[in-house]
Amino acid sequence: MNNEVADSNPADAEILVIGAGPAGLMLANILGMYGRKVTVLEAMDQLIDYPRGVGLDDESFRTIQTVGLVDTVKPHTNPQHIMRLVNGAGKVILVNNPQTDEFGWDRKHGFIQPEVDRALYEGLSRFDNVQVLFGHRVEDVKEDADGVTAVALATGPDGQAEERRFRAQYLVGCEGGKSPTRKRMAVSFEGESPSTRWLVVDVNNDPLGTPNVFLGADPKRPYVSIGLPHAVRRWEFMLHDDETEEQVTDPAYVDNLLRDHVPDPSKLDFIRRRVFTHHGRVAGTFRKGRQLIAGDAAHLMPVWMGQGWNSAMRDATNLGWKLAAVTAGQAGDELLDTYTAERKDHAKAMVDLSMTFGKFIKITNPAGALARDAASSVLNLFPSVKSYFADMKFKPMPRYKQGVLADPTTQESGRAASVLTSRLIPVRTANSKVSPVGLQFPQPRVNSKDAPNVLLDDAIGNWWSVVVWGNSPKDVLPQESLDKLRALGARLVCILPETQREWAEQYMGEDVLVLGDHTGRMKKWFDDRPTPLVFLRPDRFVAGACLTQHAPATLDAILRSMAFIAPAEPAGVVIADDAAVLAK
């Protein structure tokens, strides 16, 4: 990665990313991994160095795993971040402590955002095809039929502002909630910006030391207390309408707010005191022509569910492989329309959930708070309700119903119903008729010839895969379909019980990756669903899942949905290892 000031000549790239925040940095890592040429322009002189987001989920960790940065991110996280909602008397109303590791990682982690963002930034040094330029404020963007030209002001060697131009095929605005890219696109940004303000207080040398989260639903003054890695403690206090920002950031005033939390607030090592307002907004579309938006530029959500940073990761994960495919000439431009179709509804669902949860916490009417606490106590008596909150089942998981998909029953291209409706006996007798298409595929540990007990994604690589339970893809797919999969760059994978792995490795040949299911988790997944063949996208979502005889039609529908462009000659190799880049 080159992070020096560019020369005076126009800088050409395939993708321009505006903003070196979490969405922009992760997107650049994904595109760099796929060999695409990327320029990141950041208006500030350096990364933001104060804490912001505090929650990192399993989906985000899976993306971090995909780009090979787990080892540099882990030291700045604490897994299994338990949240307790307490009332004004300190009694626990609800506990959120999910135990699942369905996607290979703990469901919730606390984290220090500046350190994790820095790990994402430093990870770009692996890619000669990626450059990050700080102190480059984009003032204007011109779009034409062939690409975009960004006009940026940058400080030159003499300290004077210089105009520089950057050319690319596509531009992605990741500049936050006030995104100039979104404003240039002239798209709506609908939602709410409640008048309620909050004071954020971050301190070093955590004086409490408890590792988890307390949401204080105190009608006198709702608050949040969060234990974070590196001995950082965060408090958030809801402000009353008559309290000014100057008043509440005064050290003496802050000390008074903290007196119920620590014996001597004056002895704390403060990082910052800052007032902010929650927003819940979603852009009308995430793409217009050759310009796109991601992260807070596309959606703003309150902090309650800790999903702002994670939603940025989901955007980058969804958009990254699609931009790579289009710029590599493997898919048509219309593939990028599926970004909005797939991401917008889930972003809105997370915004709505966060807004609702916030209203539940910040009740200040004593009678209303009493009714809430009483209702919570009764509901906690029901194990199913208690589990609903403890295991975070209320969180809507992304399910794509439109996009790069094929319906498992009808093989319709670009759409997928959420249930299996076939009248075939394997479907009628299945334990689950919920379709896996449009959902994220699980990530258990598996055994391979090269490595025991590895996470699934590390075994199959970072591009497309076709996964078959108990059988060789070469035995159940016709040659025509195998040729299309090779052109797509998909890896052929067989998963079967560990007891059969060595036999299968000898029988199936070198061009089929054989994985042993030594935990039994993959067997259970396939046992519950009449879909023994799965087409797995680079972002780990299921594009198609079917009975093997439906596989050719399902594959064709998927390729149509992504506007696949077959190369003049087959790629000739399966692209799936960690160093893989898209075949041009």
Side-chain angles (χ1 to χ4, degrees):
M1 178 191 66
N2 175 11
N3 63 355
E4 301 298 326
V5 175
D7 59 33
S8 58
N9 296 320
D12 290 335
E14 291 170 313
I15 300 102
L16 279 176
V17 176
I18 312 302
L25 293 171
M26 179 54 80
L27 183 60
N29 271 281
I30 293 171
L31 291 166
M33 175 182 69
Y34 289 135
R36 311 328 304 166
K37 189 175 181 182
V38 182
T39 295
V40 181
L41 302 177
E42 168 56 52
M44 297 178 60
D45 293 331
Q46 60 184 1
L47 298 176
I48 294 176
D49 62 355
Y50 55 78
R52 290 165 292 153
V54 295
L56 192 160
D57 68 16
D58 51 349
E59 297 172 64
S60 295
F61 233 117
R62 193 173 188 178
T63 298
I64 291 166
Q65 174 194 352
T66 296
V67 297
L69 294 177
V70 164
D71 289 343
T72 56
V73 166
K74 262 187 177 180
H76 311 299
T77 68
N78 53 4
Q80 201 181 350
H81 214 207
I82 301 171
M83 184 274 287
R84 296 179 178 88
L85 179 64
V86 299
N87 63 15
K91 179 183 178 181
V92 175
I93 302 173
L94 296 171
V95 176
N96 175 221
N97 181 23
Q99 300 295 306
T100 180
D101 60 353
E102 175 184 7
F103 300 134
W105 302 95
D106 286 312
R107 181 57 57 92
K108 294 177 62 181
H109 305 251
F111 80 122
I112 301 295
Q113 182 177 342
E115 297 298 333
V116 172
D117 286 356
R118 180 162 296 281
L120 297 183
Y121 165 67
E122 292 175 351
L124 295 175
S125 63
R126 300 170 294 170
F127 309 119
D128 293 337
N129 48 306
V130 177
Q131 65 172 343
V132 180
L133 304 176
F134 290 98
H136 282 65
R137 182 179 301 279
V138 175
E139 298 291 325
D140 194 18
V141 174
K142 302 295 184 184
E143 181 176 336
D144 55 52
D146 299 319
V148 293
T149 302
V151 181
L153 288 182
T155 303
D158 58 358
Q160 298 298 312
E162 299 179 4
E163 183 179 285
R164 295 199 172 105
R165 294 175 179 268
F166 297 85
R167 180 75 176 167
Q169 296 178 41
Y170 294 95
L171 180 150
V172 186
C174 306
E175 326 100 308
K178 297 180 180 180
S179 168
T181 301
R182 187 188 66 245
K183 294 174 182 177
R184 280 192 296 270
M185 290 166 58
V187 299
S188 62
F189 201 40
E190 299 174 354
E192 302 178 50
S193 292
S195 59
T196 307
R197 299 165 302 140
W198 292 76
L199 173 69
V200 175
V201 179
D202 291 317
V203 303
N204 286 314
N205 306 319
D206 185 354
L208 303 184
T210 54
N212 299 310
V213 182
F214 293 88
L215 301 183
D218 186 344
K220 295 179 181 178
R221 189 189 295 273
Y223 67 88
V224 182
S225 178
I226 308 174
L228 294 171
H230 306 334
V232 172
R233 167 69 52 173
R234 167 172 293 184
W235 284 279
E236 298 178 12
F237 298 97
M238 195 178 89
L239 301 179
H240 301 308
D241 291 342
D242 61 346
E243 292 175 309
T244 67
E245 181 169 349
E246 181 181 12
Q247 178 184 14
V248 300
T249 54
D250 179 79
Y253 204 90
V254 173
D255 286 356
N256 189 55
L257 290 175
L258 289 169
R259 290 196 189 284
D260 289 337
H261 296 263
V262 295
D264 188 354
S266 67
K267 299 290 180 63
L268 298 179
D269 179 8
F270 288 93
I271 300 172
R272 68 163 181 166
R273 310 170 182 87
R274 187 175 181 180
V275 174
F276 72 96
T277 302
H278 291 168
H279 301 276
R281 296 184 176 275
V282 181
T285 182
F286 298 175
R287 182 207 178 181
K288 193 170 184 180
R290 292 182 173 272
Q291 299 184 63
L292 305 98
I293 48 177
D296 284 354
H299 39 71
L300 285 172
M301 60 190 67
V303 300
W304 301 114
M305 301 305 302
Q307 288 299 305
W309 195 91
N310 295 295
S311 292
M313 294 300 103
R314 293 189 192 101
D315 289 349
T317 306
N318 186 286
L319 180 58
W321 75 267
K322 296 175 181 178
L323 278 169
V326 171
T327 54
Q330 195 179 47
D333 174 86
E334 53 266 47
L335 172 60
L336 299 179
D337 289 332
T338 67
Y339 170 51
T340 299
E342 293 181 348
R343 281 294 304 132
K344 182 181 175 183
D345 285 351
H346 183 259
K348 185 178 186 306
M350 291 308 309
V351 168
D352 292 345
L353 177 63
S354 298
M355 295 291 285
T356 300
F357 199 65
K359 292 174 182 176
F360 181 78
I361 291 169
K362 64 184 186 181
I363 295 173
T364 55
N365 178 280
L370 185 63
R372 175 201 59 204
D373 297 351
S376 299
S377 297
V378 172
L379 291 174
N380 269 318
L381 298 176
F382 296 90
S384 61
V385 176
K386 192 172 184 179
S387 172
Y388 180 74
F389 290 99
D391 294 333
M392 214 169 177
K393 295 176 182 177
F394 55 84
K395 174 188 171 185
M397 297 302 296
R399 171 183 278 281
Y400 302 151
K401 296 182 179 180
Q402 299 180 62
V404 184
L405 308 165
D407 187 88
T409 303
T410 66
Q411 289 78 59
E412 179 184 0
S413 177
R415 294 180 181 274
S418 57
V419 293
L420 305 170
T421 57
S422 169
R423 298 306 298 164
L424 290 172
I425 287 177
V427 176
R428 289 163 51 196
T429 59
N431 189 43
S432 174
K433 295 179 178 61
V434 175
S435 169
V437 177
L439 295 175
Q440 192 169 169
F441 197 64
Q443 186 187 199
R445 289 187 173 272
V446 294
N447 288 337
S448 72
K449 181 173 62 175
D450 298 325
N453 198 40
V454 296
L455 287 168
L456 178 67
D457 295 355
D458 291 338
I460 66 175
N462 57 28
W463 196 237
W464 283 85
S465 299
V466 55
V467 179
V468 181
W469 172 258
N471 213 332
S472 169
K474 294 196 303 180
D475 288 345
V476 299
L477 291 169
Q479 188 60 48
E480 183 181 2
S481 294
L482 292 172
D483 290 342
K484 292 173 182 177
L485 287 167
R486 184 163 56 159
L488 179 62
R491 188 158 202 175
L492 307 181
V493 181
C494 167
I495 302 181
L496 75 181
E498 173 64 17
T499 54
Q500 302 176 42
R501 179 171 60 83
E502 291 187 9
W503 164 83
E505 288 168 350
Q506 296 176 17
Y507 167 73
M508 295 183 186
E510 292 295 325
D511 51 350
V512 174
L513 174 66
V514 177
L515 300 176
D517 176 34
H518 64 292
T519 68
R521 296 177 77 168
M522 276 283 82
K523 178 182 181 294
K524 176 168 174 36
W525 191 93
F526 281 103
D527 185 57
D528 285 343
R529 298 162 180 82
T531 52
L533 190 147
V534 174
F535 295 98
L536 193 58
R537 302 175 1 166
D539 58 6
R540 314 311 184 187
F541 279 76
V542 176
C546 57
L547 297 169
T548 56
Q549 290 185 354
H550 283 149
T554 300
L555 174 59
D556 289 346
I558 293 169
L559 295 178
R560 289 196 301 274
S561 73
M562 66 174 288
F564 177 68
I565 300 172
E569 297 182 3
V573 294
V574 175
I575 303 176
D577 59 40
D578 290 341
V581 297
L582 295 182
K584 292 187 178 180

